[in-house]
Amino acid sequence: MSMHGDHDMGHTVAGWTGTCTAVLGGAVAGVALAADSTGGLVAGGAVVVLAAVVTWVLHLAGWGKPSGPRPVAQHPWRIRDTAARGGHPDCLGCRLAGRKGAVVPVAAPTEVSADDVTAVAVAAAAAERAPAVERVPAEERVPAAQRS
């Protein structure tokens, strides 16, 4: 376990390489600005653009990460993403490379009866009138039809 616990900070080879390259480009541009050098500004900007391209290529090679949380075994930044070859769902970089990614299934909407809505409204109104000690958070309220 890292000092961040089980939280996935998203550190990857692609992320670190792109960030360091972009910082280098920004530093070159900053020095060029102070030195009043147009060529240096262009070179610094080119290094920043290069950082974006390098990050994208490393991501496509599996050294990046998909959006969202990863399994704990894949949290270390040196772990290669084996799913990158097929593309990540909802990933702009993968779509730009022509990779479709897995389709995320969407749950079908469930029907809500009038009794459920009424029960929730009554429970909410009762909770507002109850003393603070007796109040139940909204996520813990259960509709009448689901109570045993």
Side-chain angles (χ1 to χ4, degrees):
M1 179 158 56
S2 70
M3 68 191 254
H4 300 293
D6 287 337
H7 182 70
D8 180 14
M9 298 299 288
H11 300 297
T12 63
V13 173
W16 280 110
T17 303
T19 299
C20 292
T21 307
V23 167
L24 178 67
V28 167
V31 169
L33 183 67
D36 195 25
S37 169
T38 305
L41 278 172
V42 171
V47 172
V48 171
V49 170
L50 177 69
V53 172
V54 166
T55 303
W56 181 47
V57 168
L58 285 171
H59 172 79
L60 295 174
W63 292 109
K65 84 178 240 2
S67 300
R70 294 181 288 182
V72 176
Q74 294 181 1
H75 283 195
W77 68 279
R78 292 184 194 105
I79 300 293
R80 195 167 188 171
D81 180 19
T82 57
R85 185 169 292 226
H88 300 115
D90 300 325
C91 176
L92 176 63
C94 290
R95 283 189 303 216
L96 288 174
R99 298 179 181 179
K100 304 276 187 221
V103 177
V104 178
V106 178
T110 58
E111 291 186 27
V112 178
S113 68
D115 293 334
D116 290 339
V117 174
T118 303
V120 170
V122 169
E128 288 178 9
R129 289 190 301 265
V133 176
E134 296 178 13
R135 291 188 183 166
V136 177
E139 58 272 359
E140 293 179 14
R141 296 183 195 137
V142 179
Q146 295 178 354
R147 293 186 195 141
S148 36

